[in-house]
């Protein structure tokens, strides 16, 4: 599995930087966003360093599906009962701030309206 020693998400996945984890296994790690846009805002991150959706291939289909299924489970476990939003920012023009593929999952009242 490819990792990037300079990537903050690779460092979180390796346990080198602390995070408020809500899930981890051999492929994925999920943790609370440090600058949340909603009452519940988690990131689901592959342990493998994938720079963005632009680097995704057919070989990543199962991983991407697992991320989506996991998001539903985690929102339920975190008490989100009235809907949530999925966001994947891709590249600079797409608003991606960390060059490592990650899925934002935001729940609670109107999570897209940052106060």
């Amino acid at each position: 599995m490819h990792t990037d020693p300079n990537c903050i998400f690779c460092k979180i996945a390796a346990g080198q930087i602390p995070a408020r984890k809500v899930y981890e296994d051999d492929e994925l790690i999920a943790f609370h966003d440090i600058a949340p846009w909603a009452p519940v805002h988690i990131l689901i991150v592959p342990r493998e360093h994938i720079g963005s959706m632009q680097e995704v291939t057919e070989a990543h289909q199962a991983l991407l599906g697992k991320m989506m299924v996991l998001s539903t489970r985690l929102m339920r476990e975190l008490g989100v009962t009235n809907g949530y939003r999925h966001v994947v920012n891709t590249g600079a023009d797409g608003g991606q701030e960390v060059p490592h593929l990650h899925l934002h999952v935001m729940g609670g009242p109107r999570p897209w309206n940052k106060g």
Side-chain angles (χ1 to χ4, degrees):
M1 172 175 42
H2 171 68
T3 61
D4 179 341
N6 299 313
C7 172
I8 189 167
F9 287 167
C10 288
K11 289 178 181 181
I12 290 171
Q16 298 168 349
I17 295 176
R20 290 181 42 222
K21 298 176 192 173
V22 294
Y23 178 85
E24 64 181 315
D25 66 17
D26 291 343
E27 294 180 297
L28 299 172
I29 184 166
F31 51 90
H32 290 276
D33 194 296
I34 62 168
W37 281 48
V40 177
H41 182 170
I42 63 171
L43 302 177
I44 301 176
V45 180
R47 288 186 182 275
E48 175 185 357
H49 184 82
I50 304 167
S52 75
M53 284 297 291
Q54 292 173 315
E55 295 180 16
V56 168
T57 68
E58 288 184 14
H60 297 108
Q61 279 181 225
L63 180 67
L64 294 173
K66 182 176 180 179
M67 291 170 70
M68 297 303 287
V69 172
L70 178 62
S71 71
T72 298
R73 177 181 139 198
L74 293 178
M75 286 291 106
R76 185 172 39 251
E77 289 176 3
L78 293 168
V80 176
T81 59
N82 199 31
Y84 44 91
R85 187 175 197 190
H86 294 88
V87 175
V88 178
N89 299 318
T90 303
D93 287 344
Q96 186 176 2
E97 294 178 6
V98 177
H100 184 126
L101 175 66
H102 55 286
L103 172 64
H104 292 263
V105 190
M106 297 169 278
R110 302 186 67 189
W112 49 90
N113 286 341
K114 185 170 181 166

